[in-house]
Amino acid sequence: MSRYDELPWKFEPRPSTSQRLNIHTSPNTNARTIQNIKQCKHIPEADVEELCSKVIELLIQEANIQHVDTPVTICGDIHGQLHDLLTLFKTGGECPGTQYLFLGDFVDRGFYSLESFLLLVALKVRYPDRITLVRGNHESRQITTVYGFYDECVRKYGSVNVWRYCCEVFDYLSLGAIVGGKGGVFCIHGGLSPDIETVDQIRILDRKQEVPHEGGMCDLLWSDPEDVQGWAISPRGAGFLFGENEVNTFLHHNNILLIARAHQLVMEGYKEMFNQGLVTVWLAPNYCYRCGNIASVLTIDDDLNREYKVFEAATQDVGAIPSKKPAVEYFI
Amino acid sequence: MPNPPFRQPPTSPLSKPTAAHHGHPHHNHHPSFSSGSSSQHPSRKPSIVELLSSPPPLPVQTPDHDDIHGFSLSRHTSNSSRSSSVMNAAQHASTSGLDWSEIPLKDLTESNKLITINASYSVQKAFETLVTHNLTSIPVLLSSSAKDCLTFDYSDLNTYLLLIMNKISTNDLAIHEIDLPLGSNTTPGTGTDDAKKHELVTQTISRAKRGEEVPVEFIIKLNPKNPFIKFSETDTLFPVVETLGNGVHRIAITDSDNKITGILSQRRLIKYLWENARRFPSLDCHLNSTLQELDLGSSTPISIYEDQLLIDALQKMSHERVSSLAVIDRTRSLIGNISIVDVKHVSTSKNSHLLFKPVLNFISYNLSQKGIEEGQDQFPIFHVNNQSSLGRVIAKLVATQSHRLWVVESSNRNHSNSMSSTNTTSSASSVNNGVGSLTPATVEATLGAVPSSNYTPTEAGRPGKLVGVVTLTDILGLFASAKGKKTDPSFARNQRRGSTSSATRSSFESLMNPASTSASTTAGGGAPNEDIFRKSYVSSQKSDNVFSK
């Protein structure tokens, strides 16, 4: 239990269903679960609870800023577009063969938020060292109640329990990652905070909570880079806008070469800014099935070189997306 | 706080070093854990968050100030370079010498952006014009002389929709403002005249229900609204701010021919004042005070529950004559916001089913739409608390392009790190926040947590209980009253509520500005009775520039 004593907070791990019932889950069960999720089969609520419990036991041991070795493929917002996530695994390599780092915003918007999230969670349980999950601003109770995930869970399960289990997992997700150690890549969902100058300051935060409305933890998940002098208040109503100077200062102070983040739709899939000091990556192609953007992932190799791979939305099965007949619109 | 920075008197804002600009001991914006920066600097520097609650530096180009970082809010800019840029601005202001109240309206005209429509446009076409040009209001020219002018905005569309859905009665409307067709044997002031108007209104509504075109003139006269106030471009900002501080949302700017050359809205004006605030010393005096200290805003915000139907929300906005409602859950926690402008999303058959669904569905739809259009999602609701400084409030209003910020209870909710069922999982915690809150924990928080088995989204990370609202009207009214002019933020709304009774529009208008008293007693040409009601729009010789000196 000594490992738990190092953590800045106290907790009591909840016994998982399998532990309570003395059932020993085997890797085979996990593999079956993963397959079922990929095929959008209904996962029994008890299994969802168990899966969430198990992943929390893993996430508890992770740091606020998780260290990730190279090579790794970094991915941006998914927003429930499960089929595009599957395309990614097909083209970028399946986990565990390829190591992945996801920058949050797994849920809301797309029709398969739950499956997308559970797939990543199941992969984390199965291959804990081959996939890293970072929290996005949508991994939050307040956001998911208005942006779609809550509704999806209630629709698919008839109760709020599954949503609750997932929200508990959200609370344990890391806030960011550093790839490759010194001179490496700092990865977060949103951006920088005026309250945070060093990575060490992030390390001492208490992350196990709902995303606050303001402050360092909120800013990391909500801020955006912008051509501003210094800092500005964000038009989003949370987080800040930060300019090139702030990026350079942060890179210099923390001995990193690049900030990799997501959080904003990029038509070309990825966008570098500030003399290649920052990049935005985005994983959901043809966002919301109509934006017409492409997606991209960033692979960092052992020499800390960057390689961008782009891809378009997969041609979907007819049954995959609930179709909307284009209706003639009448004025009232 | 070991070295509290000393507080400068408000009379000399431009000479005080910026470091002390926000040395207000009452609101504490210090980040709780940026121990790194404060230990490295001997004097306490304002945090970035504090700096952003003060007006932005002016974009002054001076030859001896090459260092572009002097204008940056970067924490590594030295105080001396920052204060020197402020001094340059002071010199600039002293040479031009004008305070905000003396700035001529002409400086703010954006005439190249003016779009107008004709009164004969159909409501549908008028709506489409708003959408195409991304406007919330548009002047409607009543005659070819382009001097008679009303506006079409989303409150008109809302009234139109509610009429078609039989959700408001004609008694709630300004029927007397309707013109009977020429030659219809009018006998002013008699019952038959009113009855004829009623009949005309009913007939037109029936036509609307059948999907026939209705001229926009009909709805903009019928809907109880404030008159479209005009100012000359030679007027200064002072009377404009006073008018806007009384609750009017926008005014028209006219040239020497009385032609409309531009529109100035509350939003555009506040942005201008904020971005130029360092030129205007008199604006500075209240920026450090909190909403509570200033007693600013309303403590009775109008709201609707998340599970009520959207059509009820639209009806409430119409009935209360307001342009937005806070959306709360049954414990009064703030969830979101509905604006009258949102009616544009349910004005076509495609989305009309949303009218009979809960308001929360509509908010979700709106937020999603906006997020897709902008490529980024916004926070569901823009809010502050009573301990927020005025500067912070204005900065947030300008950044989010809002008309109002909802005021929530500031609470120090404890967050729990335990997964056991006896503790809440946390909500908005101030422990790690850069912005501290000084009010004691709410009763709910101290009474203890909700067991997680009863966990509902209603407790989940909500910003807090709704306790008030602060609007652009309130702030502009504050600026006007700082110059000695008392304003009433509910004036315009009361005028809208009262204008369904006869002969009130022009009399209210004269109340709003004593300079117009002469106009209220004369009638323009034409049928005298009708013109009394339409006096504010008729450009007779006297009433043209009712606000000119």
Side-chain angles (χ1 to χ4, degrees):
Chain A
M1 290 298 278
S2 61
R3 182 183 284 168
Y4 299 140
D5 292 339
E6 290 162 14
L7 297 169
W9 61 79
K10 290 171 66 89
F11 74 101
E12 289 167 26
R14 212 171 44 154
S16 68
T17 314
S18 58
Q19 285 172 338
R20 279 187 273 126
L21 301 177
N22 252 335
I23 296 168
H24 192 68
T25 26
S26 67
N28 287 337
T29 314
N30 279 336
R32 203 159 45 237
T33 307
I34 289 174
Q35 276 311 108
N36 288 342
I37 296 172
K38 284 185 176 179
Q39 288 163 20
C40 296
K41 294 203 178 130
H42 182 87
I43 313 295
E45 188 175 302
D47 290 1
V48 174
E49 186 184 6
E50 184 181 343
L51 196 56
C52 289
S53 269
K54 283 210 207 133
V55 81
I56 286 176
E57 286 165 26
L58 290 167
L59 293 175
I60 269 179
Q61 300 169 30
E62 293 193 347
N64 287 349
I65 301 294
Q66 186 69 346
H67 278 279
V68 177
D69 292 322
T70 55
V72 65
T73 298
I74 301 173
C75 315
D77 295 22
I78 298 169
H79 284 300
Q81 296 188 201
L82 174 72
H83 298 87
D84 297 306
L85 182 56
L86 297 177
T87 305
L88 164 68
F89 287 138
K90 283 197 196 83
T91 54
E94 295 286 343
C95 183
T98 304
Q99 192 195 184
Y100 282 98
L101 165 56
F102 288 94
L103 296 180
D105 277 12
F106 318 115
V107 299
D108 282 337
R109 284 284 168 55
F111 297 113
Y112 300 100
S113 292
L114 187 59
E115 289 80 0
S116 302
F117 181 60
L118 289 181
L119 175 58
L120 295 177
V121 162
L123 287 172
K124 180 70 180 176
V125 169
R126 184 108 199 263
Y127 311 111
D129 300 325
R130 299 302 289 165
I131 176 172
T132 304
L133 303 176
V134 164
R135 192 173 192 177
N137 63 306
H138 278 259
E139 275 71 58
S140 137
R141 289 164 188 83
Q142 186 176 7
I143 304 304
T144 50
T145 43
V146 289
Y147 277 100
F149 182 52
Y150 174 85
D151 293 331
E152 182 184 319
C153 292
V154 169
R155 199 174 64 240
K156 288 178 177 170
Y157 285 84
S159 80
V160 299
N161 294 333
V162 163
W163 175 80
R164 283 185 201 168
Y165 304 144
C166 293
C167 287
E168 270 184 288
V169 176
F170 295 161
D171 284 345
Y172 286 91
L173 291 169
S174 295
L175 300 179
I178 290 188
V179 171
K182 291 224 181 309
V185 183
F186 177 69
C187 305
I188 27 163
H189 175 74
L192 302 179
S193 170
D195 291 340
I196 292 172
E197 289 181 355
T198 65
V199 176
D200 278 336
Q201 286 171 323
I202 308 178
R203 292 194 170 109
I204 60 169
L205 291 176
D206 174 8
R207 75 175 194 260
K208 194 273 164 189
Q209 54 172 313
E210 168 68 6
V211 181
H213 303 127
E214 48 201 349
M217 178 170 160
C218 169
D219 299 338
L220 292 172
L221 272 47
W222 276 95
S223 295
D224 295 301
E226 183 60 64
D227 277 321
V228 289
Q229 294 286 354
W231 300 89
I233 296 189
S234 173
R236 294 194 198 231
F240 291 88
L241 304 177
F242 55 95
E244 181 164 6
N245 286 336
E246 306 314 316
V247 170
N248 290 337
T249 305
F250 191 83
L251 294 176
H252 177 74
H253 252 96
N254 294 285
N255 200 356
I256 50 179
L257 215 50
L258 169 70
I259 297 175
R261 47 87 68 176
H263 195 43
Q264 284 176 300
L265 171 66
V266 187
M267 291 303 292
E268 317 83 18
Y270 73 94
K271 180 176 171 195
E272 287 186 337
M273 284 174 83
F274 302 154
N275 207 22
Q276 300 185 313
L278 179 143
V279 66
T280 304
V281 287
W282 183 268
L283 190 54
N286 196 23
Y287 184 44
C288 297
Y289 315 109
R290 64 193 217 230
C291 285
N293 61 295
I294 55 177
S296 89
V297 295
L298 165 61
T299 301
I300 305 289
D301 69 12
D302 288 329
D303 298 319
L304 296 180
N305 293 320
R306 319 167 194 191
E307 186 199 343
Y308 296 99
K309 288 197 200 92
V310 297
F311 57 100
E312 296 182 352
T315 40
Q316 314 282 354
D317 297 329
V318 175
I321 300 161
S323 63
K324 273 186 168 175
K325 269 205 301 260
V328 181
E329 256 182 271
Y330 298 100
F331 187 61
I332 40 170
Chain B
M1 197 162 59
N3 296 312
F6 80 108
R7 187 177 172 190
Q8 289 283 13
T11 47
S12 59
L14 292 177
S15 58
K16 61 184 172 188
T18 319
H21 186 72
H22 293 280
H24 194 300
H26 286 289
H27 66 81
N28 183 354
H29 280 186
H30 304 186
S32 54
F33 54 85
S34 62
S35 50
S37 54
S38 56
S39 62
Q40 283 154 21
H41 300 279
S43 61
R44 191 198 73 80
K45 280 177 63 177
S47 72
I48 307 294
V49 178
E50 284 175 2
L51 284 174
L52 291 172
S53 301
S54 70
L58 293 172
V60 175
Q61 305 302 320
T62 49
D64 57 332
H65 196 70
D66 293 4
D67 182 13
I68 199 168
H69 297 297
F71 301 103
S72 166
L73 291 172
S74 169
R75 58 175 85 85
H76 298 286
T77 311
S78 66
N79 282 352
S80 58
S81 62
R82 203 182 293 129
S83 55
S84 66
S85 68
V86 171
M87 282 307 292
N88 285 330
Q91 284 159 3
H92 177 83
S94 57
T95 48
S96 60
L98 293 180
D99 193 19
W100 68 263
S101 54
E102 297 160 314
I103 302 280
L105 200 46
K106 185 154 56 165
D107 282 7
L108 278 86
T109 309
E110 285 178 339
S111 48
N112 56 328
K113 293 190 182 175
L114 182 64
I115 312 272
T116 61
I117 62 173
N118 201 285
S120 59
Y121 271 44
S122 68
V123 176
Q124 178 174 0
K125 199 165 171 197
F127 163 58
E128 284 162 5
T129 312
L130 286 181
V131 170
T132 312
H133 295 281
N134 201 22
L135 298 167
T136 54
S137 163
I138 194 165
V140 179
L141 304 173
L142 294 174
S143 70
S144 53
S145 70
K147 293 176 192 176
D148 283 346
C149 205
L150 293 178
T151 58
F152 174 74
D153 60 31
Y154 283 112
S155 77
D156 297 305
L157 189 63
N158 189 41
T159 303
Y160 187 72
L161 173 69
L162 293 169
L163 275 174
I164 292 178
M165 319 270 326
N166 290 327
K167 285 291 184 176
I168 48 180
S169 96
T170 48
N171 294 328
D172 213 25
L173 304 170
I175 299 214
H176 54 271
E177 294 286 342
I178 293 294
D179 301 320
L180 290 172
L182 293 172
S184 53
N185 280 344
T186 60
T187 334
T190 67
T192 42
D193 197 38
D194 278 349
K196 282 202 168 96
K197 290 193 176 187
H198 258 96
E199 198 190 309
L200 177 60
V201 167
T202 315
Q203 279 173 8
T204 313
I205 295 175
S206 304
R207 277 172 44 212
K209 287 182 187 174
R210 288 194 296 269
E212 293 172 25
E213 281 194 358
V214 169
V216 69
E217 182 175 2
F218 171 74
I219 194 67
I220 61 180
K221 287 188 174 174
L222 201 59
N223 188 33
K225 278 165 64 170
N226 304 115
F228 191 29
I229 313 275
K230 299 173 191 57
F231 284 87
S232 157
E233 57 190 10
T234 55
D235 283 323
T236 66
L237 286 187
F238 181 40
V240 175
V241 168
E242 187 197 350
T243 300
L244 298 178
N246 276 313
V248 171
H249 291 165
R250 62 185 59 76
I251 53 104
I253 308 172
T254 56
D255 62 12
S256 48
D257 292 328
N258 273 313
K259 219 172 122 243
I260 294 184
T261 54
I263 310 285
L264 180 60
S265 68
Q266 286 180 328
R267 264 202 309 184
R268 196 154 72 80
L269 180 56
I270 205 96
K271 183 165 190 263
Y272 171 82
L273 291 174
W274 180 247
E275 288 175 351
N276 290 283
R278 296 204 185 226
R279 276 168 60 194
F280 307 134
S282 67
L283 283 180
D284 206 52
C285 54
H286 294 306
L287 293 180
N288 287 345
S289 305
T290 67
L291 292 182
Q292 189 167 55
E293 286 164 0
L294 294 169
D295 194 24
L296 200 61
S298 157
S299 55
T300 52
I302 304 184
S303 59
I304 190 148
Y305 291 119
E306 57 169 336
D307 50 9
Q308 288 182 265
L309 301 184
L310 175 60
I311 188 100
D312 293 337
L314 297 180
Q315 194 178 2
K316 192 165 193 180
M317 283 193 281
S318 169
H319 180 71
E320 300 280 351
R321 308 280 187 254
V322 292
S323 53
S324 85
L325 300 173
V327 179
I328 55 176
D329 66 16
R330 293 281 167 175
T331 70
R332 282 201 74 81
S333 287
L334 180 64
I335 295 177
N337 174 108
I338 279 202
S339 158
I340 197 99
V341 170
D342 296 335
V343 75
K344 67 180 169 189
H345 293 304
V346 287
S347 301
T348 60
S349 53
K350 183 174 86 146
N351 290 327
S352 51
H353 60 97
L354 289 171
L355 287 168
F356 299 99
K357 295 222 170 92
V359 162
L360 186 59
N361 282 38
F362 185 61
I363 291 181
S364 294
Y365 175 79
N366 268 351
L367 287 170
S368 281
Q369 282 302 109
K370 194 153 190 229
I372 294 172
E373 280 159 31
E374 305 196 349
Q376 59 187 48
D377 293 327
Q378 66 179 50
F379 200 74
I381 185 70
F382 301 144
H383 58 89
V384 286
N385 60 61
N386 269 322
Q387 309 311 316
S388 305
S389 70
L390 177 61
R392 168 116 186 87
V393 169
I394 299 179
K396 192 166 184 180
L397 280 166
V398 171
T400 55
Q401 299 184 300
S402 308
H403 297 94
R404 73 199 64 75
L405 295 177
W406 303 101
V407 183
V408 294
E409 227 168 39
S410 31
S411 64
N412 274 320
R413 293 243 209 140
N414 297 318
H415 63 275
S416 156
N417 303 314
S418 166
M419 282 172 64
S420 74
S421 58
T422 53
N423 290 329
T424 16
T425 44
S426 63
S427 60
S429 156
S430 56
V431 172
N432 287 320
N433 289 346
V435 179
S437 163
L438 299 178
T439 58
T442 60
V443 172
E444 300 91 86
T446 46
L447 276 181
V450 175
S452 63
S453 55
N454 289 341
Y455 201 85
T456 60
T458 56
E459 273 106 22
R462 294 271 148 85
K465 303 266 187 284
L466 176 70
V467 295
V469 62
V470 60
T471 66
L472 294 178
T473 300
D474 296 319
I475 294 170
L476 291 169
L478 180 70
F479 291 157
S481 64
K483 287 280 180 186
K485 267 289 184 176
K486 278 248 72 135
T487 57
D488 174 12
S490 51
F491 177 83
R493 181 179 163 225
N494 290 336
Q495 183 189 48
R496 295 192 288 272
R497 292 168 106 186
S499 61
T500 51
S501 57
S502 57
T504 51
R505 273 198 206 195
S506 52
S507 56
F508 266 120
E509 179 180 313
S510 63
L511 275 175
M512 260 165 78
N513 191 319
S516 69
T517 38
S518 53
S520 59
T521 51
T522 58
N529 219 30
E530 285 168 336
D531 272 4
I532 286 174
F533 302 137
R534 286 192 294 135
K535 199 172 306 339
S536 45
Y537 325 128
V538 169
S539 51
S540 66
Q541 268 163 330
K542 271 229 143 157
S543 60
D544 257 0
N545 271 324
V546 292
F547 301 96
S548 59
K549 304 284 178 279

